[in-house]
Amino acid sequence: MARRLRFIGLAAVSVLLAYLMLWRPQSNTDPKRIQVRFWHMWTAEWKDVVDKIVDRFNKSQEKYEVVALSVPSSGADSKFLMAVAGGNPPDCMAQWNAVIPTWAQSGLIKPLDDFMTPEQKRQFDAEAYPAVKKIGTYKGRLYALTIGMNLFALYYLPDQLAEAGYKEGEFPKSIEELTRVAAKLNRFEGKRLKRLGFMPSSLLGMAEVFGGGYWDPIRQRVTVENPKNLEALEYIAGEWKKLGYDNVTKFNSGLNTASFAGGWPFLEGYYSITIDGQWRVEQARKYKPNLKYSTIAIPPPKGGRSLAGFTGGNFMIIPTGAKQAEGAWEFIKFWSGLENPERAAEFYTWGGWLPLSPRVADAPMYQAYLKKYPQFKTFLDMMPSQNVQPLPPVPYQIFLNDEIGRAEDYAVRGTLTPKQAMADLRKRLDHEVKRRKELGYED
């Protein structure tokens, strides 16, 4: 208990503020129903999708009434911790941050396998995609159930690729070939970069493509020192060096690279080839429906892995202290498709999300979506791959993610060599693990 309180680190006044500010009681639309309080972090058009799903659930049965609350993502985690500490948490929450091992270790969330029937457990273990099981599991228990996975692959413009001699449907078969082709697609005005052929990024994903990774499932430990991780970082840093860090940074600074609307630079042809997530298919549909583009998994280098990369996801959790945990579980089963895959398939198409299992993907509604937007199929085809990996299942996931990003930034900027950056990462990680042990944590 002391360790849990130390983790939360909250004063009584914070708890009071959480109670007063986070949840304003809402009356049921039907007073005969049991209210299930649901928090999520989606806003704008995504909130509309969530509201539609909630409405569908409420109309599907007469026992529960889910009441959704959009919580600003910038403070969602701290608000959740305050609510749990104050004994007034939501009944369920949709998350996408790397919090599962941390919150599971601290006793802040309930194992979902406790709610599953034996048949549901069997079905989930047998049918769920590998990454779906990995991302929600900590020390053999399932704490989160996905309502939409996120994967990364290549988006490319065939008309620009044709400038390098490639015909319709052709694409480089290795990352070495891709790198050579991309150099031909760069465009300049004087010395100023105006179009970027391709620039690798995300050490987490590229390490998997190169045949490395950050988790050893046999020894159950983080693996920074894998030589393939270093190869991946050397490749990323080397490509930035060719064009010049300042040149690429200036180019990107003039673009809205984070846009989730019509400002995504790929839509306007500023990138010939780029790494991005499956949600961009939905974005292209909305903001440039006539764009001619294709997607493909990142081709591996010699000795690398195909259908590989990093994955994250949107998943549902039930907090410790939830007053209507059973109602929350009914809602989670409904949305995820664990209960009725054919029905849930429609929800996944609304958000442009990757599903829980092939049973959802094979549903007519989802297959119709793939037929209409074939670029999405690249991501679905990656889901069965064992080479798609989430962050290692350790309670310091967020720290590890930040430090891997720091190592990549050091190497790309030229602050440290890739070898020095990896050594620095190992040193920082060892220090954090030692510090945690001194504080009484198991790992």
Side-chain angles (χ1 to χ4, degrees):
M1 177 60 72
R3 187 171 65 186
R4 176 177 168 184
L5 292 175
R6 183 167 62 244
F7 168 76
I8 298 173
L10 299 171
V13 65
S14 297
V15 176
L16 179 60
L17 286 172
Y19 185 84
L20 293 174
M21 297 174 64
L22 295 182
W23 184 260
R24 295 181 176 86
Q26 302 181 40
S27 60
N28 296 342
T29 55
D30 184 346
K32 297 178 183 178
R33 295 188 179 210
I34 300 170
Q35 187 181 89
V36 177
R37 303 186 303 175
F38 166 51
W39 287 4
H40 65 86
M41 298 182 285
W42 283 288
T43 58
E45 59 201 81
W46 301 103
K47 180 181 179 298
D48 294 339
V49 171
V50 174
D51 288 342
K52 284 174 63 178
I53 296 169
V54 169
D55 184 59
R56 282 285 186 91
F57 173 76
N58 289 338
K59 290 178 178 177
S60 73
Q61 43 74 55
E62 297 181 349
K63 183 175 182 179
Y64 298 106
E65 187 81 9
V66 170
V67 179
L69 179 69
S70 178
V71 181
S73 60
S74 59
D77 291 356
S78 60
K79 289 179 174 64
F80 175 86
L81 296 176
M82 288 190 288
V84 173
N88 189 38
D91 297 306
C92 58
M93 183 178 185
Q95 258 288 351
W96 57 62
N97 295 327
V99 296
I100 298 304
T102 307
W103 289 0
Q105 184 193 62
S106 300
L108 300 175
I109 51 178
K110 292 176 176 286
L112 298 186
D113 38 25
D114 285 347
F115 295 90
M116 289 181 169
T117 65
E119 175 57 23
Q120 287 170 348
K121 287 183 181 180
R122 184 208 63 75
Q123 178 184 319
F124 180 79
D125 290 341
E127 298 178 0
Y129 289 118
V132 168
K133 289 183 277 192
K134 291 173 186 174
I135 202 168
T137 299
Y138 177 65
K139 291 193 173 180
R141 302 298 304 275
L142 182 71
Y143 287 91
L145 195 62
T146 183
I147 48 172
M149 296 294 289
N150 292 325
L151 280 179
F152 297 85
L154 295 178
Y155 286 74
Y156 69 96
L157 299 170
D159 288 347
Q160 292 190 11
L161 200 61
E163 297 173 21
Y166 284 76
K167 298 178 182 178
E168 184 78 21
E170 294 181 339
F171 194 82
K173 292 182 171 54
S174 69
I175 208 161
E176 292 90 351
E177 183 183 352
L178 168 61
T179 303
R180 292 192 296 270
V181 170
K184 299 177 182 179
L185 300 178
N186 294 326
R187 294 292 180 268
F188 297 85
E189 282 186 6
K191 293 185 178 181
R192 188 175 181 84
L193 186 63
K194 301 300 290 183
R195 188 179 83 185
L196 186 58
F198 172 68
M199 185 57 64
S201 61
S202 180
L203 180 55
L204 270 169
M206 293 304 293
E208 298 292 341
V209 173
F210 271 70
Y214 289 90
W215 181 246
D216 183 338
I218 304 300
R219 294 185 293 167
Q220 292 286 296
R221 66 185 298 268
V222 174
T223 53
V224 171
E225 59 281 357
N226 190 317
K228 294 293 184 178
N229 295 348
L230 177 58
E231 284 185 29
L233 184 54
E234 288 174 336
Y235 168 68
I236 295 171
E239 290 307 297
W240 277 79
K241 186 176 181 180
K242 286 178 184 177
L243 282 179
Y245 176 82
D246 288 342
N247 289 336
V248 177
T249 301
K250 288 177 183 177
F251 171 73
N252 284 329
S253 67
L255 305 173
N256 189 3
T257 57
S259 173
F260 289 97
W264 182 33
F266 178 77
L267 299 180
E268 300 303 322
Y270 290 108
Y271 300 139
S272 302
I273 307 165
T274 189
I275 300 174
D276 223 310
Q278 87 289 335
W279 59 85
R280 297 293 195 180
V281 174
E282 186 69 7
Q283 190 173 351
R285 177 193 71 80
K286 290 179 180 178
Y287 298 103
K288 198 146 190 179
N290 296 322
L291 179 68
K292 183 181 177 181
Y293 76 99
S294 296
T295 59
I296 192 169
I298 302 172
K302 184 177 180 181
R305 300 191 189 110
S306 59
L307 298 177
F310 170 72
T311 182
N314 307 306
F315 38 80
M316 295 284 270
I317 57 175
I318 298 178
T320 299
K323 296 176 178 61
Q324 299 299 335
E326 290 295 336
W329 176 242
E330 290 300 316
F331 180 49
I332 292 171
K333 288 190 300 179
F334 178 88
W335 186 342
S336 67
L338 183 68
E339 181 180 62
N340 187 329
E342 290 76 19
R343 176 179 59 194
E346 185 176 12
F347 310 152
Y348 286 94
T349 65
W350 289 347
W353 294 315
L354 290 161
L356 174 86
S357 71
R359 291 182 68 199
V360 178
D362 292 340
M365 190 74 70
Y366 206 86
Q367 287 297 307
Y369 181 80
L370 294 175
K371 186 175 182 180
K372 193 171 183 180
Y373 306 106
Q375 298 92 341
F376 200 89
K377 190 173 184 298
T378 292
F379 300 92
L380 183 65
D381 289 345
M382 294 176 68
M383 286 297 291
S385 174
Q386 293 288 351
N387 299 330
V388 171
Q389 297 289 343
L391 281 165
V394 293
Y396 47 93
Q397 270 188 344
I398 294 178
F399 174 85
L400 177 61
N401 182 59
D402 290 346
E403 290 303 318
I404 292 172
R406 183 201 298 265
E408 180 176 355
D409 188 56
Y410 281 162
V412 165
R413 289 174 178 270
T415 306
L416 297 175
T417 67
K419 188 173 183 178
Q420 289 170 336
M422 295 303 285
D424 182 70
L425 171 58
R426 179 78 262 176
K427 181 180 178 181
R428 288 177 178 275
L429 177 60
D430 289 344
H431 180 269
E432 175 65 11
V433 171
K434 180 181 177 182
R435 186 185 70 86
R436 290 178 59 84
K437 288 181 178 179
E438 289 172 350
L439 292 172
Y441 292 100
E442 296 176 7
D443 46 16

